[in-house]
Amino acid sequence: MSTTKYGTELDLVRERRIPEGRLALAMLRVQSVWRAFRNRLASNCLHDLDDRQLNDIGLTRHDVVMALDRSGALEDPSLLLTRAARERARTRFARSASR
């Protein structure tokens, strides 16, 4: 009798079963809507920042307004904000490198 033989048979960690079928699809959709809702609330909080703070994160007030206007009620505006910030960073650093 060896401890290694029986030590590996212990079921200390149980596998999490992933729900299958329609329930799983419904859960994924609810998670997606919840994430979009939370991100919309966070994007709305960007209105409270002044222009200098928005500039620090690579955005303008116009970017925030446009992202909230262009995304629907259940869509995620943070994707548009991320794209705007990355594009602004690309152009900002391209201008400073060419000098």
Side-chain angles (χ1 to χ4, degrees):
M1 181 185 223
S2 150
T3 11
T4 56
K5 178 179 176 185
Y6 292 103
T8 57
E9 293 177 11
L10 293 175
D11 189 21
L12 299 176
V13 178
R14 296 176 189 234
E15 288 184 28
R16 291 181 57 191
R17 294 191 52 118
I18 299 173
E20 298 173 6
R22 293 181 186 170
L23 179 61
L25 291 175
M27 286 175 55
L28 287 174
R29 182 65 182 156
V30 167
Q31 286 176 346
S32 174
V33 169
W34 178 248
R35 184 179 313 111
F37 178 72
R38 280 192 340 239
N39 288 343
R40 178 166 284 282
L41 289 176
S43 298
N44 280 333
C45 290
L46 291 175
H47 277 293
D48 296 337
L49 300 177
D50 63 10
D51 291 336
R52 184 183 51 81
Q53 291 170 325
L54 286 172
N55 189 33
D56 284 346
I57 59 175
L59 294 172
T60 62
R61 190 155 311 279
H62 182 262
D63 293 334
V64 175
V65 170
M66 292 306 292
L68 291 173
D69 286 345
R70 287 184 181 166
S71 61
L74 298 179
E75 293 176 359
D76 192 353
S78 66
L79 300 173
L80 296 171
L81 291 169
T82 302
R83 191 173 301 130
R86 285 185 181 166
E87 184 61 33
R88 185 157 289 107
R90 248 186 246 119
T91 58
R92 180 185 298 171
F93 293 125
R95 274 186 273 144
S96 64
S98 65
R99 290 182 184 180

